[in-house]
Amino acid sequence: MPHIAQYQPIVPHYRVAFFKRMEEKVGSQDVYTYEGTKEAANNSFCVGNLRCEHISSVVMSCGVVVSNPLPLLSKKYNVLVLMLHWGHLTTWLLLLTKWLHRKKIILWGQGISVKRYLKEEKKPDWKFKLMISLADGVWFYMDKEKDQWQSLFPKKPMVALRNTLSGVEQMSAYAPAETIGQLKSKYAIQEERILIFCARFNSYRRIDLLLEVIQSLDKNRFGFIIIGAGENKPDFSRFPNVHDFGKVYDDSVKRELFSIADIYFQPGWVGLSIVEAMAYGKPIFTFKRTEDTLQCVEYSYIKDSHNGRIFSTVTECLSTIETISDDELKKMGINARTYVKNNLTIEHMVNNGLSVINQVTSVSIEH
């Protein structure tokens, strides 16, 4: 059986179930991290409860990371899962010395720069290309990027993990005990149609578009639930139809708030937050990926008019929110939840990862 070492900056709470289930499957796994809980808190991450070993590292402002490789070179490991990140000098060192340490290396990452997405989807970054060429296998987050790289390395073991989060099975099975009317009364929400935003407020979220939509819609008919914090968060207190709950770590509260909502609305930088929304049966409304509106790789989960809407202009967005029927919203929400149930469970994500481990080790681990 393979003995695996995985290397990550931290293990956030939404990734714990993946690592625990992977360990159950392979039997022997150690997780190493190079960031501390303070750095995680500064980035608004909630660190998960998972036993990890800390590796001493130097993280430079330019994104370059230098870590002590010795723990990863332990003789008990025959598979290393490292980050597909060209700024990790230790990963380069381990890739270039495979002939010496003889460990199989699987790289895990997006395979593309979110900030340079439009450029790199046409011409992949040569640094990623070199790293992938040296690796034994690759875990990508999403199918779109996996397919792009598989066309360049047709014989290389690769898989799309299909990025998801801990607890998604419970989210997709959730049904509120109270009616929507009762929940609205409980949280003092009275508007007819509710949009929910649940993410950290960073500089790429296109909060300007969120504010423009809030200001443009009828405040008596349309309400907004805001969950999240961050240094770029605006003051929503001036909007009577915006219900700001800040950080919410109580799952029972979050589930009720999602139940109240009709639409998940995040103008830009959509990522794992949309998996949570889809699991709760909410259609995803966002804007088209452009140089000004960046989107994370999970953006490809959204299929326009099937499980959400992708807009080119604010005018189009406003018109749709104002005129779309409840039936159409419910249909897209059902499609979103069904996709999560069928494709985005932790078990699916782990089994996808195991398929590459099996190939690089020539050992068949039962899925």
Side-chain angles (χ1 to χ4, degrees), residues 93-323:
L93 174 65
L94 292 169
L95 285 169
L96 292 168
T97 57
K98 274 178 28 180
W99 61 274
L100 182 61
H101 59 69
R102 299 186 181 279
K103 300 181 188 300
K104 300 293 185 180
I105 294 181
I106 296 172
L107 297 178
W108 180 6
Q110 296 177 345
I112 198 166
S113 167
V114 172
K115 297 178 182 179
R116 297 182 295 277
Y117 196 100
L118 295 176
K119 177 182 178 181
E120 291 186 15
E121 69 175 341
K122 297 176 181 176
K123 185 179 180 181
D125 189 294
W126 67 269
K127 297 182 288 298
F128 283 140
K129 188 174 182 179
L130 181 55
M131 291 189 88
I132 290 171
S133 72
L134 294 169
D136 296 287
V138 191
W139 289 353
F140 293 101
Y141 281 112
M142 302 292 293
D143 289 277
K144 187 174 185 292
E145 292 73 38
K146 179 262 181 183
D147 291 343
Q148 179 183 23
W149 285 108
Q150 193 78 78
S151 67
L152 296 174
F153 297 95
K155 296 182 179 180
K156 181 82 65 176
M158 297 180 182
V159 74
L161 295 181
R162 292 184 179 167
N163 202 21
T164 190
L165 65 166
S166 300
V168 73
E169 295 86 356
Q170 291 74 26
M171 296 174 198
S172 60
Y174 174 75
E178 300 175 82
T179 67
I180 302 303
Q182 289 172 327
L183 290 175
K184 281 188 171 182
S185 178
K186 178 178 180 179
Y187 292 101
I189 296 172
Q190 58 186 1
E191 293 82 19
E192 174 188 343
R193 178 163 287 173
I194 305 299
L195 295 83
I196 187 170
F197 173 101
C198 180
R200 296 189 309 276
F201 284 86
N202 66 28
S203 57
Y204 302 110
R205 300 285 188 203
R206 291 306 307 267
I207 305 306
D208 58 319
L209 296 178
L210 173 62
L211 292 172
E212 185 174 352
V213 170
I214 291 172
Q215 291 170 329
S216 301
L217 290 171
D218 183 347
K219 67 179 183 298
N220 295 311
R221 183 183 171 201
F222 299 96
F224 292 80
I225 293 172
I226 303 294
I227 300 175
E231 61 181 13
N232 295 102
K233 183 174 181 176
D235 180 8
F236 290 108
S237 62
R238 58 195 171 104
F239 302 111
N241 60 329
V242 175
H243 311 276
D244 184 3
F245 292 85
K247 291 182 180 180
V248 177
Y249 290 125
D250 186 332
D251 286 339
S252 63
V253 172
K254 183 182 282 190
R255 288 173 179 178
E256 290 180 342
L257 294 176
F258 267 98
S259 297
I260 291 170
D262 303 289
I263 297 166
Y264 182 81
F265 180 53
Q266 186 176 324
W269 203 259
V270 297
L272 263 181
S273 55
I274 68 170
V275 174
E276 181 177 32
M278 290 168 66
Y280 287 125
K282 304 304 159 185
I284 311 301
F285 280 26
T286 190
F287 284 85
K288 183 179 179 181
R289 175 189 276 134
T290 65
E291 291 183 358
D292 296 322
T293 303
L294 303 178
Q295 301 286 11
C296 301
V297 292
E298 292 82 6
Y299 173 76
S300 61
Y301 283 144
I302 308 169
K303 307 302 178 187
D304 192 40
S305 298
H306 177 72
N307 59 7
R309 291 299 314 273
I310 299 173
F311 305 109
S312 297
T313 66
V314 173
T315 300
E316 179 189 10
C317 175
L318 293 170
S319 176
T320 301
I321 293 172
E322 290 172 335
T323 61

Side-chain angles (χ1 to χ4, degrees), residues 3-12 15-16 18-23 26 28-35 48-55 71-72 76-77 79 81 108 139:
H3 297 267
I4 298 174
Q6 297 217 43
Y7 172 73
Q8 293 283 305
I10 61 167
V11 176
R15 191 69 75 216
V16 170
F18 170 80
F19 284 104
K20 287 186 175 180
R21 186 60 177 142
M22 181 64 75
E23 182 171 6
V26 299
S28 177
Q29 171 189 264
D30 290 321
V31 178
Y32 292 90
T33 59
Y34 65 85
E35 284 188 4
N49 181 23
L50 182 76
R51 180 185 60 82
C52 300
E53 301 292 335
H54 184 74
I55 291 182
L72 300 171
K76 68 178 178 178
Y77 304 127
V79 177
V81 180
W108 180 6
W139 289 353

